[in-house]
Amino acid sequence: MSARIGVVLFPGSNCELDVQEVARAAGQETTILWHGDRTVDGVDAVVIPGGFAHGDYLRPGAIARFSPVMTAIEEFAAAGGPVVGICNGFQVLTEAGLLPGALQKNRGLRFLCSTVEVRVESTNSVLTSGAESGTTLRLPVNHFEGNYTCSAETLAMLRSEDRVVLRYVDNPNGSMDDIAGICSRERNVVGLMPHPERASSSLLGSEDGLVLLQSLYRSISRSS
Amino acid sequence: MDVPLHRSLGLTDDEAADIVRILGREPNHLELAMYAVMWSEHCSYKSSRVHLKRLPTEAPWVLVGPGENAGVVDVGDDIAAAIRIESHNHPSAIEPYQGAATGVGGILRDIFTMGARPIALMDPLRFGPLDDARSRWILEGVVSGISGYGNSVGVPTVGGEVVCDETYAENPLVNVLCLGLLPTDRLVLGQASGVGNLAVLLGSATGRDGIGGVSVLASAGFGDEETEQAKRPSVQVGDPFEEKRLIEACLTLLNAKLVVGIQDLGGAGLTCATSETASRGGVGMDVDVSAVPLRERGMEPFETMTSESQERMLAIVTPDDLDAVLSICERWEVRATVIGRVTEGGRLRILDGFAGEVLADVPASSLHDAAPLYDRPLRRPDPVPAIPDHVDPVDPGGDLLAMLMDTTWVSSQYDHQLFLNTVEGPGGDAVVLRLKHPETGVETGRGLALTTDGNHRWCAVDPRGGTAMVVSEALLNLACVGARPVALVNCLNFGNPEHPEVMWQLSEAIDGMSAACLAFDTPVVGGNVSLYNESRGRDIDPTPVVGLLGVIDRLDKPPPGVVWSEGDEVVLIGPRTAALGASRWAALHHGDGRPVGSLPDLDLLLHGVVARTTRALVVDDLLGGIHDVADGGLAVTLGEMVARSGCGARLSGMTGFGELFAEGGSRVVAAVASANLEEVERRCVAAGVPLTVLGRAGGSRLVVDDLLDLEVSAVAAAWHGTLPEALAAGATH
C-alpha cells in the first residue's frame, strides 16, 4: 500500500523527522516529498513541516514558494487535498498564496521558543475537526517570524468566514487578532505557528497536539 | 627594525629553528604559515599536553577517547554517543554574534565528522557584570548568534549556563558542547588511507575570513581597543543554511558508506585537515591549492591553506565512488571539488596544479607530532584573602533576592525541543533527553542526561579542590534526574600560560579533575584548552567547565524537577556545613566581589554515596522535587524551588546564616511526600548519608526561622526580573 502523508522536505527544513515520527506512532504511513520533485502523486495529505526552508533567506518562505513541488501542492489543494503548514510551513503557504496574510517578526524582535495556550476557535477545518470548540490546548511555539498580519479586509473576511481556527490565549508574538492558525475557504488548507507534533507525549510535557493531528489523519480516511 | 616573518606569524625563534631542522632547509612563506597555525597554542596544546595526560581516559564503554574530533561512548542498544566541548571565547569578545555562531558551527562539524547526527547543543556562557553596558552588548550578541545559527541549522540548544562576574568583563567565555548519536557500527575516523584515493573538499568556497584565527586570536590575550578592532577580520562568518545542507549531505555519504575518512575544517583550515587525515592514516597527500574554490580573487596559497572559512569538510573517497559522492552533494546543493590525492610516504605537498609547481613540501606528521611541547614553569600564586573571623548577616533575605536569576530570557531564544527528545530542558539540574536509535528512530525506553558546570570562585581559591567540586556538582546534577555518569568532557578556560601562576592553576585543576573522575569512575573522553583569557595583563579566574553525560536506565516519566508542593516535607540530604569560604556571599560582602576564604572540605567518597543515594531515590520515584546546593548555597536552592513552584515553605533549625550561604558540596534539597519520608530516611541512614528535615512546603512565604522571611511573589519577581530588567537598560559596544 502506498504511503499516505507526504512531508515536504526543502533544504533547511528540520521538523520533517518529528512529523513523521508522530504520524507513524499513530499508525499512519508517511513519505518525504522532495522540494525539487514536480509531483505529490500517491499521497493523501501534505504536511509542510517547520524549519528554515532555503535558510529563510530573503524572508521565510520567499524562496521555498518557487520550489517545483509547490506547484504540485497547489494543484493538490485545489482538488481538495488536505494541506497543513506548521510554523515555517505556514510561512511558506502564505508566501505561496495558498493562505492569506503574512508572518512578520515577533513583537519584541526576538526568537521565541516556549509553550503557550491556544484556543480552538473553529472546528471546521481538516486540522481541527476532531477538537472541541473553545478548548484550550498547550502547544509549543518556536519562531522568530510568527506575528500574523493581514489587511483589514482580509481580517474581516477571515472572521466572517470562520477561518481563524486557533487563537492565542495570551498573545506571545503580537499576532493580529491573536491569530495562531487559519484555514482556506474550502477548509482543507490550514496554517498554524504552534507545533502540534511537539505536543505528542506526556513525557515531553503535553499531548494536546494529538487531537489536531488525529483530525488530519481522519480527514484522509474520509476523503479517500 | 622589521620583525622577522616567523615572529609576526606567532612562532618563537626556537620554533623557527626547529622547522629548519625538520626540513633541512629554510622554510618558504607558505610552509612557515602552515607551521605557525599548526603549532599555535590552540591547535597544538603545546603548553597543556604534559598535564592533560594525567587525566583518566579509559573505561570499557569508551569507543574513542581524547585526541579525535569528539569522544565517543557506547550507550547501549547499538547506539554510540559522540560528545565534545569547545570554546569560542576570543572571537566572541570581538564580534559576539559571529563569534558565538561560528562556535556552534564548528562543534557541530566535530560531531558529524564522527558519523554522528548532532542532537543537542549546550552553551555554558560567562560574561561581565550586567550593570556594564558593554557586557550586555556581548551577552545579547552571543545569545542572538547561538539562536540565529543553532535554530536555523536545526539542532536544539537544550541548556547551558549564564554566569555574570567582573572577572569576565573584558574576556567573556563562550563555550559550546554538542552531543550526537550514531549507530555503533558506523563510527568513522578522520583519517586518509589508500594511496590514490581522493580528497574532496565539501561546502563553502574559501575566503579571507578567519586567516590565522588560531594563532592571532585564540593564542594571544587582549590589549587595547585599537588592537582588538584590528583583529576583527580574523573572526569567521557563519552560514547555518550551508551547514545544514553539509550535515545532511555528509550523513547521507556516511550512511551509504561512500567515504573512507572525513574531517572537518576548523582551526587552521585546510592545513590542519589535510595534514591530520594524512598523518593519522600514515600516508602523505598532494594538495592542488589551485583547485580550491575561492570566494575572492587574488588569494595567496598561504591564505587559502590557513583560511578558517566556515562550513567546509574534507572527505577521503575512492576514485570509484567519486561520481556517487558528487551526485549526493549535488542533490543537497553542496559544492564538492577534488583537491587532493593520497600518496605514499608521509609528505604533505602543496601544488599549483597536480602536475604544477611544488609550493610546499613538509612531513605531514611534523605539523602535529613535532609540535613543540612546553613544560612551562609553575608558581603557586599568593593565597586569596581570608574571611574575617566574625561576619554578620546584614540582610539574608535581600542577599538571596540579589542572587536569583532566571535564564529563560536566554533559553527561550533557543529551539530546545526539536527532535522530540527533550524531557527536561533548560533550567533544571540536568537536561534529560529520550534516547532513540539515530537511524531507525526506535525508542529505547531509556534516556540521556547532560549537564555543564563551572565555578570560578571555587577554582580561584583552590584550583585543585575547586575543580573536584565542579565535577562533583555535575555528578550530583545528574543524580537529581536519575542518571549515572558515563563520560566527561572539559573546556579549560585559563589565563596566559606564560604566567607561571596560570600554569600552576591549570596543572592543579587537571589534578583535581583527575581525582574526582577516578573517584566517580568517569572517563574523560575529550576536552579543549582555552588559554590567553586575559585582558591588559590580567588573567581571568581559572574556569574549568565540565560537561557530564549520563544515562538513565528507565525513562518513563519526567524527573522530579526543581519544585515542591503544598505539604511536602523539605529535607536536606548530605552533610551540613556553614563554611562560607569561596562562596558568592563572602565575595559580595568581604571580597569586594572577588573570591575570598578557603574552599570547604570535599569528601569524594561520601559525595559518591550521596549521589548514588539521591539517584536511587529519584529512580524509585520517592521524591516530589529536588535541587542541588551549589552557587549561592542553600538559600539560592530554596529560592529557586520557591520561584519555580510558586509555593512557600516554613523551615527552621539552621545553625546560623552561614548555613544558608555556604557552598560546600554533596548536598541536595528534596521535597518528600509525608508518606515517603520514612522510606527516604531509612535509605539515607542505611547508606550513611546525613538527612535533616528542614520543615514543610506551603503557604505564600518563604520563612527560615530567625533568618529570612520573604513573600513568594517577591522571590518569584526577583528571579524572573533580574535578566530582562538589566537588559532593558540597553547596551553599547
Side-chain angles (χ1 to χ4, degrees):
Chain A
M1 197 169 129
S2 65
R4 313 294 299 271
I5 298 179
V7 181
V8 183
L9 181 54
F10 300 101
S13 298
N14 62 29
C15 297
E16 76 280 2
L17 297 174
D18 298 1
V19 169
Q20 292 189 89
E21 178 184 321
V22 173
R24 285 178 187 163
Q28 305 297 314
E29 286 182 60
T30 66
T31 188
I32 287 289
L33 300 173
W34 182 248
H35 74 112
D37 292 345
R38 296 178 181 279
T39 166
V40 296
D41 285 355
V43 307
D44 302 310
V46 171
V47 175
I48 309 182
F52 293 72
H54 294 281
D56 273 1
Y57 288 151
L58 189 55
R59 67 179 182 270
I63 299 174
R65 63 168 287 211
F66 293 110
S67 284
V69 76
M70 288 307 296
T71 311
I73 291 173
E74 277 168 40
E75 288 162 7
F76 179 77
V83 176
V84 172
I86 301 168
C87 196
N88 194 227
F90 187 11
Q91 295 162 342
V92 172
L93 289 175
T94 59
E95 286 288 337
L98 283 166
L99 289 172
L103 283 311
Q104 58 181 346
K105 283 201 191 305
N106 297 343
R107 178 181 61 199
L109 300 180
R110 273 198 299 276
F111 191 96
L112 178 67
C113 179
S114 181
T115 296
V116 301
E117 294 196 328
V118 298
R119 201 171 44 243
V120 178
E121 298 286 15
S122 171
T123 55
N124 187 8
S125 83
V126 292
L127 194 69
T128 53
S129 56
E132 250 179 77
S133 187
T135 320
T136 298
L137 307 174
R138 288 185 67 241
L139 301 176
V141 292
N142 185 66
H143 56 245
F144 206 142
E145 288 92 358
N147 180 350
Y148 183 81
T149 188
C150 62
S151 68
E153 296 76 38
T154 301
L155 182 63
M157 174 188 75
L158 288 174
R159 294 166 79 154
S160 70
E161 294 176 2
D162 188 30
R163 287 167 58 184
V164 177
V165 296
L166 299 169
R167 276 199 176 86
Y168 299 110
V169 173
D170 185 7
N171 193 334
N173 54 25
S175 281
M176 189 178 277
D177 201 23
D178 301 330
I179 287 174
I182 58 173
C183 70
S184 63
R185 184 167 285 141
E186 288 72 30
R187 335 295 300 186
N188 63 318
V189 180
V190 179
L192 74 167
M193 288 315 295
H195 286 262
E197 81 280 10
R198 293 188 179 191
S200 55
S201 130
S202 58
L203 196 54
L204 301 178
S206 172
E207 293 178 301
D208 290 358
L210 291 177
V211 66
L212 300 178
L213 296 171
Q214 278 155 3
S215 301
L216 175 65
Y217 309 149
R218 270 199 299 273
S219 75
I220 301 171
S221 43
R222 267 203 307 275
S223 65
S224 57
Chain B
M1 196 185 94
D2 282 347
V3 180
L5 180 61
H6 67 263
R7 271 195 234 159
S8 69
L9 293 171
L11 290 163
T12 67
D13 296 349
D14 286 346
E15 288 167 352
D18 273 350
I19 296 167
V20 174
R21 221 175 359 258
I22 289 166
L23 297 181
R25 59 175 166 80
E26 287 291 328
N28 63 33
H29 184 177
L30 171 59
E31 290 163 342
L32 206 52
M34 289 163 63
Y35 280 100
V37 287
M38 291 307 297
W39 287 10
S40 68
E41 187 65 58
H42 184 86
C43 287
S44 73
Y45 294 78
K46 57 191 170 191
S47 300
S48 54
R49 271 190 294 160
V50 290
H51 301 291
L52 291 172
K53 60 181 188 218
R54 299 200 297 274
L55 290 168
T57 58
E58 287 173 11
W61 55 89
V62 174
L63 302 177
V64 178
E68 281 281 345
N69 291 293
V72 182
V73 289
D74 186 340
V75 291
D77 293 305
D78 298 322
I79 305 170
I83 186 169
R84 179 172 174 87
I85 190 168
E86 271 230 341
S87 62
H88 240 216
N89 304 340
H90 288 94
S92 304
I94 292 172
E95 175 55 63
Y97 186 100
Q98 290 298 344
T102 54
V104 173
I107 195 97
L108 291 171
R109 288 191 294 280
D110 284 324
I111 294 300
F112 69 82
T113 293
M114 307 300 293
R117 176 172 284 279
I119 63 154
L121 291 159
M122 303 256 290
D123 293 276
L125 307 175
R126 282 161 175 79
F127 305 103
L130 284 173
D131 60 10
D132 168 37
R134 186 164 186 279
S135 293
R136 293 197 296 268
W137 174 74
I138 294 176
L139 186 155
E140 289 189 352
V142 164
V143 170
S144 336
I146 293 167
S147 164
Y149 198 103
N151 297 344
S152 178
V153 80
V155 180
T157 300
V158 295
E161 295 169 273
V162 181
V163 174
C164 296
D165 191 275
E166 184 267 334
T167 192
Y168 308 115
E170 309 206 30
N171 194 126
L173 301 185
V174 177
N175 294 174
V176 55
L177 175 150
C178 186
L179 172 71
L181 296 180
L182 64 149
T184 311
D185 61 8
R186 198 176 71 192
L187 186 61
V188 281
L189 298 178
Q191 65 180 39
S193 59
V195 170
N197 281 346
L198 304 171
V200 183
L201 182 62
L202 310 178
S204 285
T206 299
R208 283 199 173 95
D209 49 332
I211 288 177
V214 290
S215 44
V216 178
L217 260 188
S219 304
F222 289 124
D224 54 35
E225 189 83 357
E226 208 171 298
T227 17
E228 276 188 47
Q229 294 301 331
K231 285 176 180 175
R232 197 165 287 195
S234 293
V235 179
Q236 318 89 325
V237 177
D239 177 352
F241 178 49
E242 180 80 40
E243 177 106 337
K244 170 68 174 168
R245 286 181 282 122
L246 197 54
I247 293 177
E248 300 304 333
C250 288
L251 291 177
T252 309
L253 293 176
L254 291 163
N255 263 336
K257 305 205 184 310
L258 287 171
V259 298
V260 177
I262 192 163
Q263 174 70 40
D264 68 305
L265 275 73
L270 264 174
T271 302
C272 183
T274 52
S275 64
E276 226 167 72
T277 45
S279 75
R280 280 202 192 113
V283 293
M285 195 178 290
D286 278 356
V287 176
D288 174 10
V289 70
S290 72
V292 176
L294 298 179
R295 223 177 266 174
E296 41 198 311
R297 261 187 262 188
M299 282 180 67
E300 296 288 332
F302 86 87
E303 293 177 306
T304 307
M305 287 306 296
T306 62
S307 160
E308 293 180 11
S309 285
Q310 297 290 290
E311 291 91 25
R312 297 179 300 161
M313 299 285 286
L314 189 72
I316 310 296
V317 307
T318 66
D320 286 350
D321 287 335
L322 181 64
D323 286 344
V325 168
L326 296 180
S327 126
I328 285 172
C329 289
E330 194 183 344
R331 177 175 168 86
W332 284 102
E333 298 168 31
V334 165
R335 191 195 301 261
T337 316
V338 175
I339 62 139
R341 279 190 201 139
V342 177
T343 56
E344 259 176 281
R347 308 296 291 191
L348 174 64
R349 299 198 308 162
I350 312 301
L351 313 169
D352 184 12
F354 280 120
E357 189 188 348
V358 178
L359 304 174
D361 184 354
V362 304
S365 61
S366 70
L367 292 164
H368 308 263
D369 307 344
L373 190 59
Y374 295 132
D375 193 354
R376 297 186 186 273
L378 315 178
R379 185 165 62 233
R380 185 189 191 117
D382 295 336
V384 302
I387 307 177
D389 286 342
H390 298 288
V391 292
D392 289 321
V394 184
D395 176 15
D399 288 342
L400 165 56
L401 295 182
M403 288 183 186
L404 293 173
M405 184 170 85
D406 172 20
T407 53
T408 301
W409 186 92
V410 171
S411 57
S412 67
Q413 296 185 54
Y414 304 152
D415 179 353
H416 46 81
Q417 303 165 323
L418 186 66
F419 300 149
L420 310 184
N421 292 329
T422 314
V423 175
E424 174 90 353
D429 281 315
V431 166
V432 175
L433 303 171
R434 293 197 300 170
L435 177 60
K436 294 183 300 212
H437 192 278
E439 219 168 66
T440 62
V442 170
E443 274 190 72
T444 61
R446 300 186 301 122
L448 295 178
L450 262 179
T451 177
T452 65
D453 293 285
N455 188 307
H456 67 99
R457 276 182 226 97
W458 301 348
C459 296
V461 161
D462 174 356
R464 182 187 293 245
T467 305
M469 256 173 77
V470 166
V471 176
S472 304
E473 183 191 346
L475 180 77
L476 210 45
N477 279 328
L478 287 194
C480 288
V481 299
R484 58 184 168 83
V486 294
L488 183 138
V489 289
N490 59 63
C491 195
L492 303 173
N493 306 280
F494 286 74
N496 183 339
E498 293 155 37
H499 299 164
E501 293 81 4
V502 169
M503 279 314 296
W504 180 83
Q505 290 169 335
L506 179 65
S507 168
E508 287 287 300
I510 286 168
D511 285 333
M513 183 176 296
S514 180
C517 286
L518 283 171
F520 307 142
D521 199 14
T522 302
V524 176
V525 298
N528 170 246
V529 181
S530 170
L531 300 177
Y532 295 98
N533 291 291
E534 60 168 348
S535 189
R536 298 185 175 92
R538 203 184 57 112
D539 296 302
I540 61 158
D541 284 342
T543 314
V545 170
V546 303
L548 191 60
L549 173 69
V551 168
I552 299 171
D553 293 312
R554 195 183 74 233
L555 181 62
D556 49 12
K557 57 184 182 305
V562 182
V563 288
W564 55 42
S565 325
E566 193 87 22
D568 279 347
E569 304 283 348
V570 178
V571 304
L572 179 72
I573 296 172
R576 295 175 67 166
T577 171
L580 284 167
S583 69
R584 190 160 162 202
W585 187 91
L588 217 62
H589 290 282
H590 296 280
D592 202 14
R594 303 285 307 133
V596 288
S598 52
L599 196 70
D601 292 333
L602 169 66
D603 178 343
L604 287 172
L605 206 63
L606 174 64
H607 189 91
V609 176
V610 171
R612 273 199 301 281
T613 307
T614 302
R615 182 165 65 240
L617 292 172
V618 169
V619 166
D620 294 341
D621 211 10
L622 286 165
L623 306 180
I626 188 162
H627 196 17
D628 78 318
V629 178
D631 184 50
L634 184 57
V636 165
T637 304
L638 298 172
E640 288 176 352
M641 294 183 88
V642 166
R644 291 176 62 129
S645 55
C647 173
R650 178 77 190 248
L651 312 172
S652 61
M654 302 283 164
T655 55
F657 83 102
E659 219 178 330
L660 278 182
F661 295 104
E663 297 181 9
S666 317
R667 293 177 298 158
V668 294
V669 170
V672 187
S674 303
N676 290 333
L677 185 60
E678 204 178 320
E679 173 65 8
V680 172
E681 281 177 325
R682 191 191 62 74
R683 289 182 178 211
C684 286
V685 169
V689 171
L691 178 145
T692 314
V693 178
L694 299 176
R696 186 167 287 188
S700 62
R701 311 181 73 81
L702 171 64
V703 181
V704 182
D705 279 359
D706 307 323
L707 291 171
L708 60 82
D709 183 348
L710 297 166
E711 291 278 355
V712 168
S713 57
V715 175
W719 184 65
H720 288 299
T722 307
L723 206 45
E725 280 162 23
L727 294 171
T732 51
H733 168 203

